[in-house]
Amino acid sequence: MANILLVDDSRTSRRMLRNILESAGHTIIDEATDGEQAVEKYIANHPDITTLDITMPVMDGIEALKQIKQVDSEAKVIMVSASSQKDKLIEAVKYGAEDFIAKPFEPSQIISILNKLVS
C-alpha cells in the first residue's frame, strides 16, 4: 500500500479522500491546504503518491506540480479537480501528473487509479 500526501484547501474533500484511501489500506502521511505547503511537505515526507487539488490559495496545484516535479521527476501526482476544469487537467498532464480524480469523488475510481500506480 502507498504512503500518501493529501493536498486540498477543502477540509471536507481531504476528509472524504482520507476515508476512501484509508479504507483501501493506504496510509495518509500528511496533509496540506495550499500548493506552497504541498511542496514543503513533499520534500519533508517523500510520499509514494500525492493528491493535488488544482484550485487552491497561495499557490495553485499546477504550480505546485511543477515545483514537485523539479524536486523529484519521478514523483507520482494525481490531480483533483471539478469536472469543469478540463483545460487545467490537460495542462497538469503536460507537466507530469499521472492521472486525475474528478469531484464529486467516486470511491471505486479513486481506488482503481491508486492501485494502478502502486502495482
Side-chain angles (χ1 to χ4, degrees):
M1 295 288 106
N3 290 322
I4 300 170
L5 170 62
L6 292 181
V7 184
D8 199 309
D9 60 324
S10 165
R11 177 179 293 164
T12 302
S13 291
R14 289 194 317 273
R15 188 173 339 118
M16 289 173 65
L17 270 175
R18 175 183 283 275
N19 290 341
I20 292 166
L21 296 171
E22 287 180 341
S23 71
H26 299 287
T27 302
I28 307 307
I29 57 172
D30 210 343
E31 295 183 7
T33 58
D34 64 57
E36 194 172 276
Q37 286 180 4
V39 175
E40 292 169 4
K41 292 185 177 201
Y42 183 89
I43 293 167
N45 294 298
H46 303 288
D48 299 321
I49 297 172
T50 301
T51 65
L52 193 56
D53 188 21
I54 290 179
T55 306
M56 295 183 292
V58 184
M59 178 192 298
D60 73 9
I62 301 294
E63 184 58 34
L65 170 65
K66 290 180 198 175
Q67 291 189 23
I68 288 170
K69 286 292 196 172
Q70 285 176 347
V71 170
D72 179 3
S73 63
E74 301 297 313
K76 293 180 182 177
V77 179
I78 300 170
M79 303 307 289
V80 178
S81 79
S83 57
S84 62
Q85 296 178 303
K86 290 203 183 301
D87 292 346
K88 291 284 189 183
L89 289 173
I90 292 167
E91 188 178 1
V93 169
K94 180 176 120 181
Y95 290 113
E98 303 292 324
D99 213 324
F100 68 92
I101 298 169
K103 293 178 184 177
F105 299 128
E106 177 58 48
S108 61
Q109 177 202 25
I110 295 168
I111 300 306
S112 173
I113 290 169
L114 259 79
N115 288 343
K116 203 169 51 175
L117 291 179
V118 296
S119 59

